[in-house]
Amino acid sequence: MAEKKKFQAIKGTRDLLPPETELWNRVEQTAREVFGTFGFGEIRPPVLEPTELFTRAVGGETDIVSKEMYTFDASAEFLAKFREIGKVRGDAGQLGMLSEMNIEEMISLRPEATASVCRAYIEHGMHALPQPVKLYYTGPMFRRERPQKGRYRQFYQIGAEVLEMVPPNQDPAKNIGKDAAVDAEVIEMVMAFFARLGLEGVKLEINSIGDRECRPKYVELLRAELMKVKDKLGPDSQRRIETNPLRVLDSKLESEHGIIAGLPKIADHLCANCAAQYAEVKRQLGMRGVAYAENWRLVRGLDYYMRTTFEITARGLGSQNAVCGGGRYDGLVELLGGPPTKGIGFAIGEDRLILSLQEAGKGGVAQGRDVFVAWMGEKAQATAIAAAQKLRAAGFRVELPPVEQKFGKALGQADKLGARYALILGDNEIATGQWTVKTLTDGSQAKMSEAQFLELLARRKTLSS
Ligand code: HAM
């Protein structure tokens, strides 16, 4: 006999179950509605993508790509060779082969979806559509991080991207006002979504991290300044002086905060175009009534950003309190082989959004059933089935027990399921056509016809919606 084994969800992944999934559905439905009012359409990219897409777009040196991606070589040749080598040279041979994997053959579970949306924009020639192209997505992402509250290895994002091909010979300075308005509208849309959900303690932070013109100069200046204080920094930041000095700015180490406060600020080193755009984004946010705070240390952990970056935090999340991150990424589509294109977008961590709603007591979902049909006797069963069909067709949630139960037991079960009404059908009710309806919230009971019962339910529905 096979050994009994208890399977469990893989570390950092989890099952989402009813009734919580009702809340997930409500959140996603609200996103569809709100994003729809801003003219966004849905894109559903695959979960598997070429590894190189993320290496190029997100950046090979970032934590996401260098440490956290789930990557496979899934080519048939590789797998066949891998099995052969295993037979001949065992594990050692297979390990050697793994170290020689060819990046072009490799695929990864997506750690984020901006790169996928850009790939799809190029693949489907979306530059030929009326611009800008506005897309949103919902779905699972995968990062091999250390799991904790609000941080999972399979987590869910709700994201949106605005992509716009740049016409040839366009003067970049000319469109600063337009880009800023697009940035502000995208941010306004997330804030409108959070407001609709009643998310509490929402704080928006914004920054500009410059462009190809001014950022390299700032990064050099920052590197030089960091070298002077290198001894006072921790090993991660010391390493980042070489690999990505900007990331030192968002260090979580308390001991480094004093040193970081004394470093040169990017806002003082933006080129004229970046400075003008940043000022305009702030003006546009003001016009839209969107409150924000500036945070010059907000650099984000992905390489594709330029100019506008932003993050939103919410209450009740502990250390993992960023519920949304985003920014502008002009040039990313071009980097992936497409035409010169501007881009701005964000992704919301849906797991964290749900957690925050629950912590604030806003996770309540319509639970239970509208009607529990308690029936006894063969004739009553036929009526019960017909009643259930009619009620379900009218959109009510109905529980119809598959076998007859004593009324006492049936009412107990109706209570447990959180039903609002018990429809009691026995010989008497069938003979007279007068149904017994028990209101479970207050225990009252009344006799009524089928038509009266349907009317009562319909009246309750309009009252509660
Ligand atoms: P990100 O900041 O890496 O940006 O992720 C966005 C959000 O996803 C985070 O603020 C957080 O709420 C959630 N998140 C990230 N990792 C985890 C995790 N391990 N567990 C739970 N939630 C997590 C992006 O992904 C960019 N693609 C956003 C973007 C779109 N930028 C422009 N367009």
Side-chain angles (χ1 to χ4, degrees):
M1 217 173 76
E3 184 197 339
K4 263 200 186 162
K5 186 175 160 120
K6 211 169 124 208
F7 289 101
Q8 283 186 325
I10 292 169
K11 187 174 169 197
T13 73
R14 64 210 174 112
D15 299 303
L16 303 170
L17 305 170
E20 195 185 291
T21 37
E22 293 236 12
L23 176 59
W24 284 73
N25 284 329
R26 194 181 81 202
V27 162
E28 286 161 24
Q29 186 50 32
T30 307
R32 287 174 208 289
E33 283 166 20
V34 174
F35 297 176
T37 63
F38 283 78
F40 282 70
E42 184 176 3
I43 179 169
R44 298 193 188 196
V47 165
L48 286 168
E49 292 276 7
T51 301
E52 223 181 337
L53 177 67
F54 302 113
T55 327
R56 272 223 221 162
V58 178
E61 291 291 334
T62 59
D63 283 354
I64 296 177
V65 168
S66 67
K67 297 191 201 149
E68 298 166 3
M69 274 211 304
Y70 289 93
T71 295
F72 322 86
D73 183 331
S75 65
E77 300 77 36
F78 179 88
L79 293 174
K81 204 163 142 201
F82 193 65
R83 275 194 291 271
E84 267 321 297
I85 285 204
K87 277 187 218 152
V88 183
R89 285 196 272 141
D91 290 352
Q94 285 185 326
L95 280 176
M97 192 171 160
L98 284 179
S99 66
E100 287 162 21
M101 283 196 303
N102 178 358
I103 178 107
E104 281 170 26
E105 298 278 5
M106 277 148 63
I107 57 175
S108 293
L109 286 171
R110 61 180 183 197
E112 62 105 54
T114 308
S116 307
V117 173
C118 291
R119 185 219 15 88
Y121 180 87
I122 301 167
E123 189 170 333
H124 302 286
M126 289 192 223
H127 64 275
L129 299 174
Q131 304 290 297
V133 173
K134 303 194 226 176
L135 299 166
Y136 74 87
Y137 50 85
T138 66
M141 310 290 155
F142 304 84
R143 296 183 194 175
R144 205 173 187 291
E145 293 190 84
R146 199 168 45 77
Q148 64 180 86
K149 181 184 172 191
R151 191 159 74 189
Y152 310 96
R153 291 180 169 181
Q154 173 171 340
F155 61 99
Y156 294 80
Q157 282 187 344
I158 300 176
E161 315 289 348
V162 179
L163 293 160
E164 178 159 23
M165 192 183 71
V166 184
N169 309 322
Q170 192 183 70
D171 174 7
K174 250 190 162 171
N175 280 292
I176 280 169
K178 181 178 160 193
D179 293 350
V182 175
D183 292 0
E185 192 182 66
V186 163
I187 294 173
E188 180 190 359
M189 181 170 87
V190 200
M191 299 301 269
F193 171 53
F194 287 163
R196 178 83 73 90
L197 290 173
L199 190 68
E200 289 186 0
V202 178
K203 288 207 180 89
L204 164 69
E205 289 189 334
I206 61 167
N207 191 22
S208 172
I209 57 165
D211 66 2
R212 254 180 280 176
E213 179 84 21
C214 52
R215 193 173 27 189
K217 289 181 208 149
Y218 171 71
V219 168
E220 273 327 302
L221 174 69
L222 188 62
R223 188 173 272 137
E225 290 302 310
L226 284 168
M227 284 309 285
K228 294 183 196 161
V229 292
K230 188 174 175 181
D231 297 345
K232 299 189 188 122
L233 298 171
D236 278 345
S237 292
Q238 288 195 358
R239 190 171 36 80
R240 285 183 171 143
I241 298 178
E242 285 310 317
T243 56
N244 191 352
L246 281 176
R247 288 309 305 279
V248 177
L249 300 182
D250 71 1
S251 159
K252 301 265 184 296
L253 273 186
E254 286 284 341
S255 58
E256 294 180 346
H257 287 179
I259 303 161
I260 291 167
L263 292 169
K265 301 189 173 36
I266 190 151
D268 302 328
H269 298 272
L270 294 176
C271 62
N273 281 344
C274 287
Q277 203 212 334
Y278 188 39
E280 183 58 14
V281 168
K282 289 186 274 185
R283 197 181 74 86
Q284 284 276 345
L285 286 173
M287 281 207 296
R288 288 157 205 268
V290 176
Y292 61 86
E294 291 180 71
N295 177 3
W296 70 279
R297 293 178 47 196
L298 183 70
V299 293
R300 313 266 305 125
L302 302 89
D303 281 357
Y304 49 61
Y305 291 115
M306 50 95 69
R307 293 191 178 158
T308 311
T309 54
F310 60 97
E311 250 172 39
I312 302 172
T313 52
R315 198 173 293 153
L317 292 172
S319 66
Q320 301 301 316
N321 64 348
V323 76
C324 174
R328 177 162 280 279
Y329 49 87
D330 297 358
L332 176 57
V333 167
E334 202 175 357
L335 182 75
L336 297 174
T341 307
K342 294 184 175 188
I344 161 93
F346 63 82
I348 295 162
E350 194 176 354
D351 309 73
R352 294 182 190 176
L353 174 56
I354 300 269
L355 255 175
S356 180
L357 289 172
Q358 287 170 331
E359 299 268 324
K362 303 232 164 121
V365 283
Q367 274 186 49
R369 313 287 187 275
D370 296 307
V371 182
F372 188 99
V373 188
W375 60 272
M376 270 189 86
E378 213 172 292
K379 279 199 199 127
Q381 186 179 21
T383 307
I385 290 173
Q389 285 176 340
K390 222 179 235 174
L391 291 169
R392 285 174 178 151
F396 297 106
R397 287 166 306 171
V398 178
E399 192 67 26
L400 176 69
V403 290
E404 66 179 0
Q405 291 169 334
K406 296 236 166 66
F407 287 129
K409 192 175 167 206
L411 290 177
Q413 208 193 339
D415 247 346
K416 271 193 215 143
L417 290 174
R420 292 207 290 164
Y421 297 99
L423 172 59
I424 300 171
L425 299 174
D427 291 342
N428 207 351
E429 283 77 8
I430 305 307
T432 59
Q434 285 292 302
W435 294 357
T436 304
V437 174
K438 187 169 173 135
T439 307
L440 292 161
T441 39
D442 62 11
S444 65
Q445 199 162 300
K447 294 263 184 198
M448 61 186 81
S449 67
E450 178 183 352
Q452 285 170 324
F453 182 46
L454 274 166
E455 206 177 294
L456 169 77
L457 282 176
R459 228 177 17 244
R460 291 274 153 217
K461 201 175 191 180
T462 29
L463 278 181
S464 62
S465 61

